[in-house]
Amino acid sequence: MEGEHRAGTSERSSVGPQAEYDELVRRSRERALLGSCSSLLGWDEQTYLPRGGSSYRGDQMALLAGLHHERATDPSLGDMLARVEGSPLAAVPGSVEAANVREWRRQYDRSTKLPRALVEEIARATTVAQGEWVAARAASDFARFRPWLEAIVGLKRREAECLSAAGSVPYDALLDEYEPGASVADLGVLFESLRAVLVPLVEAIAGSHRNRPAKPEHADYPVDRQRIFGEAVAGAIGFDFGRGRLDVAAHPFCSGIGPGDCRITTRYDPKDFTDGFFSILHEVGHGLYEQGLDPSHQGTPAGEAVSLGVHESQSRLWENAVGRSRAFWEHWLPLARQVFRDPLHAVDLDAFHASINRVEPSLIRVQADEVTYNLHILIRFELEQALIGGDLPVADLPLAWDEKYRRYLGITPPDAASGCLQDIHWAAGLFGYFPTYTLGNLYAAQLHARADADLGGLDPAIARGDFAGLLGWLRERIHRQGQRYRAADLIRLATGESLDHRPLIRSLRAKFAPIYDL
Amino acid sequence: MEGEHRAGTSERSSVGPQAEYDELVRRSRERALLGSCSSLLGWDEQTYLPRGGSSYRGDQMALLAGLHHERATDPSLGDMLARVEGSPLAAVPGSVEAANVREWRRQYDRSTKLPRALVEEIARATTVAQGEWVAARAASDFARFRPWLEAIVGLKRREAECLSAAGSVPYDALLDEYEPGASVADLGVLFESLRAVLVPLVEAIAGSHRNRPAKPEHADYPVDRQRIFGEAVAGAIGFDFGRGRLDVAAHPFCSGIGPGDCRITTRYDPKDFTDGFFSILHEVGHGLYEQGLDPSHQGTPAGEAVSLGVHESQSRLWENAVGRSRAFWEHWLPLARQVFRDPLHAVDLDAFHASINRVEPSLIRVQADEVTYNLHILIRFELEQALIGGDLPVADLPLAWDEKYRRYLGITPPDAASGCLQDIHWAAGLFGYFPTYTLGNLYAAQLHARADADLGGLDPAIARGDFAGLLGWLRERIHRQGQRYRAADLIRLATGESLDHRPLIRSLRAKFAPIYDL
C-alpha cells in the first residue's frame, strides 16, 4: 500500500507541468539533432558532394525530413503542449519557458498542417534541383532548369495552401516561415517607402559631378592569399575557427550545424579579392550570431536565431556598416597591401574606400552596392508573389525578370545566368526568403545607430582593429536572446525604436553624400 | 460479394511471400539510406569537422545509430523474415533472394541481441574518442587516451557478450561483424602458418648479400602535385571522380556513402610522395569495389560488399600486386619524372622499383612492406583478443605492445605515437577488424594469380597503362556478386581454390627473391 502510494506520488510529479516541459525540451533537442544531420548533408551538398551523388542525397534529405516531421507532428507532443500552455510555467511573459512554449506551438501548428509526403517531396525535389540549378546556371540555360522550377513552385504553392487560413494571402504563409509575423501588407508599405527614396538617390548619384570611383583594380589576387587574409580578418572580428570553418561554394552561405560547428562558405575571383572578401565578412556576421547563441538553451527556441531578417541584420552590419567603412580599412588596408602587394601596394585609403562603395545599377544581387541592393530584393519580392499567387507562369519568368530590371534599375541581363538563374534560392524552395534581406538591412541600420550611440562612437575602436565592444553589444542585445522575443519586439527592446526605414536612409546618405558630393 | 472476393484476393497477394519480400527490400533500402547519413557524418568527422563539433557529432551519430537499430530490430521485420524464409522464394541456392534473406537473418539476429542503449553509447563514445585519439596521438600521450580506450573496450566486451552463444569465444562475435563465418580458431592456424614462413623470410632478406635498396629520395614533393598525380593515376585505373572524391584525413580510408558517392582519403608527406600515393592506390582499390557493386541491388545485401577481408583484397591487389610491380612503373614513372622533376628526373626504373619494395622491420603498420606487414597484424590480433578476453588491462597495453614488437620484429617504438597510438581502429571501436587485413592479403594473392592465369598474363597490359582487363575480371567475379555468396565461397568460385596461405607466400618469393638475390 505504501509502495502504491509512493508510486502514485511519483507518477503525479512525473506528469506535472515541469516534467512535461522537460520532456518537451528533450524532444525539441532531439528534433534539433535530427535537423543538424540535415544541415550537414545540405552543407556537403553545396561544397563537396560528387555530381553523381545528387539524387541519393535527395533521398537522404527526404528521409531525414520525414523523420523530423513525424516527431514534429506527434499527437502526444500536441497534448503535452496544450497542458503546459495552460500551466503557470508558460505564464511569465519574457521567460525562457514562455518563449519556448510559444514557439513550439507555432512550429507544431505549422507542421501538423503539412502532410509528411509533401515535406519529403519538397526535401527530395529541392535537393536535386539545386544540382540542376548549378548546371543550368553554368550553361545559362533556363529551359534546362524550367521543369525543376515548375515542380518546386507547384510544391510550394501546395505548401502555402496547406498553411494558409481561408481568405488569407498564401504567400504570407511562406514569409512566416522565415520571418514570423511578417506580412505582404506590411512589407509592401515598407518597400514602397524605401523605393520612393532609393530610386531618386540612385539617380542623384548617377548625375553626380564627381567621377564614379574606379572599381578595385582587376589584377592578380591568388586564391590562397585571399583565403588567408579572409580567415585572418574573420578571426580578428571574433569568428571562432575552433568551432567553425570556411569553405568554397558556388553560392556563399552560413550553416549553423550544431553547437561548436558553424560553417561559412565563400567563392574566390582570382581577379578581384573584394567579391570573396565581402562574402566572407557577410557570412561571418551570420556565423557570429550562430556562435553567440546561448548554449544552455541549445536545441530549443530560446537558443535559436529569432528570424532570418535579424540573422541578415548581423551579416549586413558586419559586411556593410563595419566592413565598408573607412575606419575598418584604416586598420586592415596596410595588411592587405602586404598580402596583395602587386595590385594594392600603391592604393590610397580614400580611393580604396570609394572603390568598395561604388554605386551603380548592376545585374547581380550579391555584388550590388548598398544603395541599389534593395531594388534587387523588391524585384524578387514582386516576382515570387506572382509565381506563388499563380499570376506568373514559370515559363514567363525570364521575360518578367528582365522587364523589372529595365524598370527599376534601367539595365537588362544579357543572359539567364546573370538574370533569373543567378540565385540558388528558388531551386532550394526558399520562397518568402528574399524579403528578409531587406528587413536585415533595415534592422542592421537601426542596430548600428544604437550601438554607435551606446558605445560612444564605434569608429575609433574599429580603426584600431578592436571589435570586442560592438560584438559584446550584439551578443547581449541579440545573440543571447534567442527567440525570447519575436523579431519586431527584440529590435524594439534593443534599439528603443520600432522597425523604420529612416535609419537605413540616414546611414546611406551619411556614407554616400561625401563620396558623391550630393 | 464480388467486391469482397476481389479484396480478399488482393489482400492475399499483398501479404504473399513476394509482397513480403518486396517490403523487406524496401526496409533494407531505408536502413541503408539511414546508414548512408551516418557514413557521411563519419567521413566529415575525419575530414572537415571543427574540433569544437566533436561532442555534438557524437550525439548525432548516436541518434542515427539508434534510429537504425530501431528499424533493424522491429519485430514485424522478424515475423516477415520468418515467413519469407519458409517460402520457395528463399529456397533457390545462389539466387539474389536467397542471399538477401540469409543476410537479413544474420543482421536481424545480431541486431536483436544488442540493446539500443548500448548501440547508441558505442556510436557516441567512438565518435568522441576518435577526436581524442587524434589529439593524444599528436601529443604521443597514451595517458590522455587511456580512459577513452578503457570505456570502449568495456563497451565492446559488453557487445561481444550480448552477441556470443554460451561457451563460445566472445572475440569471435566481433570478428563475425567484419568477416562473417571467420573464427579465432581458423585464423589462428592460418596466421601461424604465415608466421612460420615470414619470420625466416624477413631474416633471409636481412642477411642478404645485396645492399638494401635506398629509400625513395626524401626531397621536395609539393602536395598539390602529389594530389594531381594521384588523381590522374586513380582515374586511369578506373576510379570515377564523377561519383567520388579524394580528400585528406589523418588516417586514410574509403567510405562508400551511397550510389554515386564514394569518397577516399589520403595524407601527404611533402618529403616523400610514396606514402600518400600508395595510400591513394589502396583506397582506390576499395573505391573500385564500392563503385562496382550492382546498382540494381543497392541497399540490399546482394548490392553490398561481402566482407572486409574481400574488401581489403581489392585494396591490396591494386596497391601491392599492381602498384608495386615493375610493369606498373614502366608506364607511370615517366609521368612521375615530369611531375616531380627535381627528385625523380634521374631515377632509374629498377632502382625505383627496388626502393618501393624495400623490406625492413618498421614501427608503422601502414608504411610496412608486404613481407613484414602481416606481422603487424598478428600483433594486433593477439593484443585485441587479450583486451576483449579481459586478460590484458588497457593500462598495460603500451608495455604489451612494445614487447610484441621486440619479439616479432626485433624493434621497439620510441614513443606511443609510433607504438600503440598509431591506429585509429580501437578509438573507432573496430575490434576484430585488423585480422581482415591479412585475410585481404591472402585473398588478393589468390585472386591476382587466377586473374593472371585467366587473362594470359597481366603485366603487358599494365605496362601499357591498360587496367580494363583486370578491372573487368574483378567486376565480374567479385564486385557484381555482392553478398550472393559468403566470402569463403566467393573466393572459391572466383579462383577455384579454398583460402590458402601458399599463393601469398609464392607471390612474395617471386617478387623479393630477385630483388634480394635469395
Side-chain angles (χ1 to χ4, degrees):
Chain A
M1 281 300 137
E2 213 185 314
E4 271 190 350
H5 177 68
R6 268 202 239 108
T9 310
S10 128
E11 197 181 12
R12 267 202 302 282
S13 110
S14 80
V15 297
Q18 184 62 51
E20 291 205 309
Y21 177 82
D22 292 345
E23 173 63 11
L24 288 169
V25 166
R26 194 194 65 75
R27 293 199 192 187
S28 183
R29 292 202 156 125
E30 192 188 71
R31 291 194 302 277
L33 196 53
L34 208 44
S36 74
C37 297
S38 297
S39 298
L40 194 268
L41 268 66
W43 168 86
D44 180 75
E45 187 195 334
Q46 290 189 52
T47 50
Y48 296 118
L49 181 69
R51 207 167 57 242
S54 178
S55 146
Y56 201 65
R57 179 57 45 87
D59 294 340
Q60 293 169 321
M61 295 297 268
L63 175 70
L64 293 178
L67 290 170
H68 189 281
H69 187 255
E70 185 180 296
R71 278 154 185 73
T73 57
D74 184 337
S76 74
L77 185 68
D79 296 343
M80 262 191 290
L81 198 47
R83 285 191 297 268
V84 174
E85 274 171 333
S87 81
L89 250 182
V92 185
S95 72
V96 164
E97 289 81 359
N100 279 342
V101 168
R102 180 190 71 226
E103 295 304 322
W104 286 329
R105 164 58 63 195
R106 176 177 164 274
Q107 291 165 10
Y108 184 76
D109 287 349
R110 281 185 70 92
S111 302
T112 48
K113 286 176 185 161
L114 297 176
R116 176 172 179 166
L118 179 62
V119 170
E120 292 177 348
E121 188 49 29
I122 289 174
R124 183 179 294 112
T126 56
T127 299
V128 180
Q130 288 178 72
E132 296 294 320
W133 167 79
V134 169
R137 193 180 75 143
S140 197
D141 181 357
F142 180 76
R144 176 175 176 162
F145 184 57
R146 180 182 148 183
W148 293 95
L149 187 55
E150 282 172 340
I152 288 170
V153 168
L155 290 165
K156 296 300 283 190
R157 291 183 68 182
R158 277 173 53 205
E159 180 183 324
E161 278 159 27
C162 293
L163 292 170
S164 299
S168 66
V169 183
Y171 182 76
D172 273 354
L174 302 181
L175 203 50
D176 185 74
E177 167 76 15
Y178 308 113
E179 197 69 20
S183 70
V184 163
D186 294 346
L187 287 184
V189 172
L190 208 54
F191 278 52
E192 181 48 36
S193 309
L194 268 182
R195 203 187 56 75
V197 183
L198 290 178
V199 170
L201 182 58
V202 172
E203 283 167 7
I205 289 173
S208 161
H209 70 94
R210 273 280 169 80
N211 279 336
R212 188 158 296 166
K215 280 196 187 177
E217 193 178 349
H218 279 231
D220 189 26
Y221 296 92
V223 164
D224 54 342
R225 288 173 175 252
Q226 291 193 47
R227 180 178 174 136
I228 290 164
F229 183 72
E231 289 195 355
V233 176
I237 286 178
F239 186 80
D240 180 354
F241 280 97
R243 300 188 297 134
R245 45 179 299 119
L246 168 65
D247 295 271
V248 170
H251 205 297
F253 66 97
C254 168
S255 180
I257 291 169
D261 189 4
C262 173
R263 308 190 183 187
I264 60 176
T265 63
T266 191
R267 56 189 175 199
Y268 300 108
D269 176 352
K271 295 282 168 212
D272 174 9
F273 96 102
T274 61
D275 184 32
F277 179 76
F278 286 109
S279 291
I280 291 174
L281 274 196
H282 180 100
E283 303 307 337
V284 160
H286 285 302
L288 292 173
Y289 190 3
E290 290 291 322
Q291 292 188 334
L293 293 166
D294 188 340
S296 65
H297 298 306
Q298 191 277 323
T300 70
E304 284 163 2
V306 66
S307 78
L308 285 196
V310 174
H311 227 308
E312 190 72 6
S313 76
Q314 302 304 295
S315 58
R316 291 292 159 169
L317 195 153
W318 289 101
E319 177 193 356
N320 290 333
V322 175
R324 293 186 202 269
S325 72
R326 194 179 181 287
F328 181 86
W329 290 101
E330 264 184 64
H331 182 78
W332 290 107
L333 190 58
L335 180 65
R337 283 199 197 99
Q338 296 305 319
V339 175
F340 307 110
R341 196 179 302 263
D342 277 357
L344 293 186
H345 74 278
V347 81
D348 159 80
L349 175 59
D350 284 312
F352 183 78
H353 179 239
S355 77
I356 58 172
N357 285 294
R358 176 184 164 90
V359 175
E360 186 174 37
S362 64
L363 293 168
I364 305 296
R365 175 184 60 85
V366 297
Q367 292 164 358
D369 58 79
E370 290 175 72
V371 184
T372 57
Y373 185 89
N374 296 298
L375 297 173
H376 291 263
I377 298 304
L378 181 62
I379 290 170
R380 287 154 181 76
F381 178 53
E382 293 177 356
L383 288 172
E384 63 185 13
Q385 286 179 65
L387 286 167
I388 297 298
D391 305 319
L392 177 65
V394 167
D396 296 344
L397 174 65
L399 276 175
W401 179 284
D402 293 356
E403 164 56 24
K404 286 198 187 283
Y405 266 80
R406 251 192 309 279
R407 185 134 49 96
Y408 293 132
L409 286 155
I411 51 178
T412 308
D415 54 29
S418 50
C420 66
L421 280 182
Q422 70 181 263
D423 294 308
I424 198 174
H425 298 62
W426 293 338
L430 303 175
F431 286 83
Y433 190 114
F434 282 119
T436 68
Y437 288 147
T438 284
L439 277 175
N441 285 329
L442 296 164
Y443 291 150
Q446 290 186 246
L447 290 168
H448 186 258
R450 166 55 67 184
D452 191 64
D454 283 0
L455 299 170
L458 293 166
D459 279 355
I462 288 174
R464 288 191 311 272
D466 176 0
F467 304 95
L470 175 57
L471 181 57
W473 190 92
L474 291 168
R475 284 257 187 274
E476 183 198 327
R477 304 284 177 110
I478 302 293
H479 305 176
R480 303 285 290 193
Q481 300 300 321
Q483 300 184 10
R484 194 175 293 212
Y485 310 97
R486 283 274 162 86
D489 296 328
L490 179 68
I491 294 296
R492 195 161 31 239
L493 286 164
T495 68
E497 286 171 5
S498 297
L499 176 60
D500 187 340
H501 70 286
R502 286 167 301 182
L504 175 60
I505 298 297
R506 273 198 295 273
S507 81
L508 293 176
R509 285 197 200 283
K511 177 186 274 184
F512 292 98
I515 294 176
Y516 285 99
D517 196 21
L518 300 182
Chain B
M1 280 299 137
E2 212 185 314
E4 269 192 347
H5 176 69
R6 268 203 240 108
T9 308
S10 129
E11 196 183 10
R12 266 203 302 282
S13 111
S14 81
V15 297
Q18 184 62 50
E20 291 205 309
Y21 177 82
D22 292 345
E23 173 62 11
L24 288 168
V25 166
R26 194 194 65 75
R27 294 201 191 187
S28 183
R29 293 201 156 127
E30 191 188 70
R31 292 194 302 278
L33 196 53
L34 207 43
S36 74
C37 297
S38 297
S39 298
L40 194 267
L41 269 66
W43 168 85
D44 179 76
E45 187 194 334
Q46 291 189 50
T47 49
Y48 297 117
L49 181 69
R51 209 167 55 241
S54 178
S55 147
Y56 200 66
R57 178 58 44 88
D59 294 340
Q60 293 169 321
M61 295 297 267
L63 174 71
L64 293 178
L67 290 170
H68 189 281
H69 187 255
E70 186 181 295
R71 280 156 183 72
T73 58
D74 183 337
S76 74
L77 185 69
D79 296 343
M80 262 190 291
L81 198 47
R83 285 191 297 269
V84 174
E85 275 171 330
S87 81
L89 251 182
V92 185
S95 73
V96 163
E97 289 80 0
N100 280 341
V101 168
R102 180 190 71 227
E103 296 305 321
W104 286 329
R105 163 60 60 196
R106 176 177 164 274
Q107 292 164 8
Y108 183 76
D109 288 349
R110 279 185 71 93
S111 302
T112 49
K113 286 177 184 159
L114 298 176
R116 177 171 178 168
L118 179 62
V119 169
E120 291 177 348
E121 188 51 29
I122 289 174
R124 184 180 292 110
T126 56
T127 299
V128 180
Q130 288 178 70
E132 296 294 321
W133 167 79
V134 169
R137 192 181 76 143
S140 198
D141 181 358
F142 181 75
R144 174 173 178 163
F145 184 57
R146 180 181 148 185
W148 292 96
L149 187 55
E150 282 171 343
I152 288 170
V153 167
L155 289 165
K156 295 301 284 192
R157 290 183 68 183
R158 277 173 53 207
E159 181 182 323
E161 278 159 27
C162 293
L163 292 171
S164 299
S168 67
V169 183
Y171 182 77
D172 273 353
L174 301 181
L175 203 51
D176 185 73
E177 168 75 16
Y178 308 112
E179 198 68 22
S183 70
V184 163
D186 293 346
L187 287 185
V189 172
L190 208 53
F191 278 51
E192 181 49 34
S193 309
L194 268 183
R195 201 187 57 75
V197 183
L198 290 179
V199 171
L201 182 57
V202 172
E203 283 168 6
I205 290 173
S208 162
H209 70 95
R210 273 283 167 78
N211 279 338
R212 189 159 295 165
K215 278 196 188 177
E217 194 178 348
H218 280 231
D220 189 26
Y221 295 92
V223 165
D224 54 341
R225 287 174 176 251
Q226 289 193 47
R227 181 179 172 134
I228 289 164
F229 183 71
E231 288 195 354
V233 177
I237 286 177
F239 186 80
D240 180 354
F241 281 97
R243 300 189 297 137
R245 42 180 300 120
L246 168 65
D247 295 272
V248 170
H251 206 297
F253 66 96
C254 168
S255 181
I257 292 169
D261 189 4
C262 172
R263 306 190 184 188
I264 61 175
T265 64
T266 191
R267 57 189 174 199
Y268 299 107
D269 177 351
K271 295 281 167 214
D272 174 9
F273 96 101
T274 61
D275 184 32
F277 179 76
F278 286 111
S279 290
I280 292 174
L281 274 196
H282 180 100
E283 303 307 338
V284 160
H286 286 302
L288 291 174
Y289 190 2
E290 290 291 322
Q291 292 189 333
L293 293 166
D294 189 340
S296 65
H297 297 305
Q298 192 278 324
T300 69
E304 285 163 0
V306 64
S307 78
L308 285 194
V310 174
H311 227 307
E312 190 72 6
S313 76
Q314 302 305 293
S315 58
R316 291 292 158 169
L317 195 154
W318 289 102
E319 177 193 356
N320 290 333
V322 176
R324 294 186 201 269
S325 72
R326 196 180 180 287
F328 181 85
W329 291 101
E330 263 184 66
H331 182 77
W332 289 108
L333 190 58
L335 179 66
R337 282 199 197 100
Q338 297 303 320
V339 175
F340 308 110
R341 195 178 302 263
D342 277 358
L344 293 186
H345 74 276
V347 81
D348 159 81
L349 175 60
D350 284 313
F352 183 79
H353 179 239
S355 78
I356 57 171
N357 285 294
R358 177 184 163 92
V359 174
E360 186 174 39
S362 64
L363 293 167
I364 305 295
R365 176 185 60 85
V366 296
Q367 293 165 357
D369 58 79
E370 290 175 73
V371 184
T372 57
Y373 185 90
N374 296 299
L375 298 172
H376 291 262
I377 298 305
L378 180 61
I379 289 170
R380 287 154 179 77
F381 178 53
E382 292 177 357
L383 288 172
E384 60 185 22
Q385 287 179 64
L387 287 166
I388 296 298
D391 305 319
L392 176 65
V394 168
D396 296 344
L397 174 64
L399 275 176
W401 179 284
D402 293 356
E403 164 57 24
K404 286 198 187 283
Y405 267 81
R406 252 192 308 279
R407 187 137 46 98
Y408 292 132
L409 286 156
I411 51 179
T412 308
D415 53 30
S418 50
C420 66
L421 281 182
Q422 70 183 261
D423 294 309
I424 198 173
H425 299 62
W426 292 339
L430 304 175
F431 285 83
Y433 190 114
F434 281 120
T436 67
Y437 288 147
T438 284
L439 277 175
N441 285 329
L442 296 165
Y443 292 149
Q446 291 186 245
L447 290 168
H448 187 259
R450 167 55 67 184
D452 191 64
D454 282 1
L455 300 171
L458 294 166
D459 279 355
I462 288 174
R464 287 192 312 269
D466 175 1
F467 304 96
L470 176 57
L471 180 56
W473 190 93
L474 292 168
R475 285 257 186 273
E476 182 198 328
R477 303 285 179 110
I478 303 293
H479 306 176
R480 304 284 291 192
Q481 300 301 320
Q483 300 184 9
R484 194 176 292 213
Y485 310 96
R486 284 273 165 85
D489 296 328
L490 180 67
I491 294 296
R492 197 165 25 241
L493 286 165
T495 68
E497 287 171 5
S498 297
L499 175 60
D500 186 339
H501 70 286
R502 287 167 300 181
L504 176 59
I505 298 298
R506 272 198 296 271
S507 81
L508 293 176
R509 285 196 201 285
K511 177 187 275 185
F512 292 98
I515 294 176
Y516 285 98
D517 196 22
L518 300 180

